C-alpha cells in the first residue's frame, strides 16, 4: 500500500518581509513616521523597516531642514524681524516633529538627574511629569536654538536658511548614528526596534556624505567658499561628537538606547550645529 504523500506547506499569513531595495519604501515610511508628525499609510513597525528607516534618517532631515530653512528665508525676505524669524523657525521644527525630540530631551535630563538605578531612571524618563532638570534642559535647548537662528539672521537670509538646513540634517544624521552600537535599554519599545540597526560600515559613509553636503552648502552660502566648506564639515563633526556624549551618558545611566535618548541626541546636535555655524560666521 502506498504511503500517504505529505501535505503541501500552508501559505504564509501575509506577504514576506521585503529585502534589499524592496525594503526602501517601508524604511522611508518608517523614518517619516518616526521622525516627523506625519504618519504615512501602510507604515510597518518591524525590525526590517526600522533598519532601513534609520539609514534614511538623514534624508528625512533634509526634508525637515528644507521646510524650516525655507520659512526662515521667506520671513527674512519679508523683513519680519530677526527674533520673530528665529522663534517661528524653531516653532515650525517642533510642530513638524510633534515636539517628541524636545520631550525626549526633557525626560532624559530628568533621568540623569535622578541618580538612581538604570531601571528607576528609565521609569523617570518615561514618566508623564516634567521635573526641574527636564524643564531647564527644555528651556535652554529652545533658547539656544532661537538665539542662534537670531544671530544667523544677521549674516543674511541665504546663510541663515542654509545654516538651518545643515543643522537639521546633521541632527537626523546623529539619530541614525545613535543606532550604531549602543544596545537597547529595554527588551521592547522603540529603542529595541532601532538599536544597532545601523552598522558602523553604513553609519560612517552616511556621516561622510552629510559632511560633504554641509561643506558644499557652506561653500555656496558663505562669503568665502573655502571657509564656508570648512565650517560645514566642522559642524557635522562637532554635532556627531555631541551625539556621542549623549550616548555615553545613556549607556552609563539608562543602560542603552530609548526613544527619549534619540530625542535628546536630535536636540543636542541641533543646538551644537547652530552654535558652530554662528561662531563660524563671525
Amino acid at each position: 500500500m502506498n504511503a500517504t504523500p505529505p501535505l503541501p506547506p500552508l501559505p504564509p499569513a501575509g506577504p514576506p518581509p521585503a529585502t534589499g531595495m524592496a525594503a526602501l519604501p517601508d524604511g522611508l515610511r518608517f523614518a517619516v513616521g518616526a521622525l516627523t508628525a506625519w504618519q504615512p499609510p501602510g507604515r510597518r513597525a518591524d525590525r526590517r523597516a526600522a533598519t532601513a528607516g534609520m539609514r534614511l534618517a538623514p534624508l528625512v532631515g533634509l526634508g525637515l531642514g528644507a521646510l524650516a530653512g525655507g520659512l526662515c528665508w521667506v520671513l527674512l525676505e519679508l523683513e519680519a524681524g530677526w527674533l520673530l524669524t528665529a522663534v517661528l523657525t524653531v516653532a515650525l521644527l517642533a510642530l513638524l516633529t510633534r515636539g517628541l525630540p524636545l520631550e525626549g530631551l526633557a525626560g532624559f535630563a530628568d533621568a540623569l538627574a535622578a541618580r538612581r538605578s538604570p531601571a528607576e531612571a528609565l521609569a523617570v524618563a518615561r514618566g508623564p511629569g516634567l521635573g526641574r532638570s527636564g524643564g531647564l534642559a527644555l528651556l535652554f535647548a529652545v533658547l539656544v536654538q532661537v538665539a542662534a537662528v537670531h544671530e544667523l539672521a544677521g549674516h543674511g537670509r541665504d546663510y541663515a536658511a542654509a545654516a538651518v538646513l545643515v543643522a537639521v540634517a546633521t541632527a537626523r544624521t546623529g539619530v541614525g548614528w545613535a543606532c550604531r552600537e549602543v544596545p537597547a535599554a529595554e527588551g521592547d519599545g522603540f529603542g529595541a526596534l532601532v538599536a544597532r540597526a545601523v552598522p558602523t560600515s553604513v553609519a560612517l559613509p552616511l556621516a561622510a556624505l552629510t559632511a560633504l553636503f554641509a561643506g558644499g552648502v557652506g561653500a555656496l552660502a558663505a562669503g568665502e567658499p573655502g571657509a564656508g566648506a570648512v565650517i560645514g564639515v566642522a559642524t557635522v563633526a562637532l554635532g556627531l561628537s555631541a551625539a556621542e556624549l549623549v550616548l555615553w551618558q545613556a549607556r552609563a545611566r539608562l543602560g542603552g538606547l530609548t526613544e527619549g535618548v534619540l530625542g535628546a541626541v536630535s536636540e543636542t546636535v541641533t543646538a551644537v550645529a547652530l552654535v558652530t555655524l554662528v561662531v563660524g560666521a563671525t
Side-chain angles (χ1 to χ4, degrees):
M1 187 173 180
N2 293 333
T4 302
L7 295 174
L10 294 174
T19 57
M21 294 296 292
L24 290 179
D26 286 338
L28 185 58
R29 284 191 290 267
F30 180 90
V32 170
L35 301 177
T36 75
W38 182 47
Q39 299 299 307
R43 178 187 174 219
R44 298 172 64 100
D46 54 29
R47 178 67 176 181
R48 193 175 300 275
T51 298
M54 290 300 97
R55 301 179 187 197
L56 295 173
L59 185 61
V60 177
L62 285 177
L64 291 172
L67 290 173
L71 176 65
C72 180
W73 191 94
V74 169
L75 290 174
L76 291 176
E77 174 69 13
L78 296 175
E79 298 183 353
W82 296 355
L83 181 57
L84 180 60
T85 296
V87 171
L88 292 179
T89 299
V90 174
L92 178 63
L93 278 175
L95 181 66
L96 291 173
T97 59
R98 293 177 291 162
L100 290 179
L102 290 169
E103 181 182 354
L105 173 66
F108 182 61
D110 282 335
L112 292 182
R115 297 186 179 276
R116 301 178 184 176
S117 67
E120 293 174 323
L122 277 172
V124 171
R126 292 195 303 263
L130 179 64
R132 183 187 303 112
S133 297
L136 289 173
L138 198 61
L139 175 64
F140 285 124
V142 172
L143 285 177
V144 167
Q145 292 179 31
V146 169
V149 177
H150 176 274
E151 293 298 318
L152 289 167
H155 297 280
R157 60 180 182 272
D158 292 340
Y159 186 83
V164 171
L165 170 63
V166 168
V168 176
T170 301
R172 273 60 194 181
T173 299
V175 170
W177 182 267
C179 300
R180 199 173 81 261
E181 295 180 354
V182 179
E186 303 172 284
D188 56 4
F190 188 82
L193 196 60
V194 301
R196 294 176 171 168
V198 184
T200 303
S201 59
V202 174
L204 286 175
L206 287 177
L209 286 174
T210 304
L212 287 174
F213 170 77
V217 171
L220 291 173
E224 299 180 8
V230 171
I231 293 167
V233 173
T235 296
V236 177
L238 290 175
L240 295 183
S241 297
E244 279 296 309
L245 290 176
V246 174
L247 295 173
W248 172 66
Q249 286 291 326
R251 187 192 289 265
R253 297 293 299 121
L254 303 181
L257 198 65
T258 67
E259 184 176 9
V261 171
L262 292 178
V265 167
S266 179
E267 292 301 323
T268 302
V269 174
T270 300
V272 170
L274 287 173
V275 170
T276 302
L277 290 160
V278 169
V279 174
T282 60

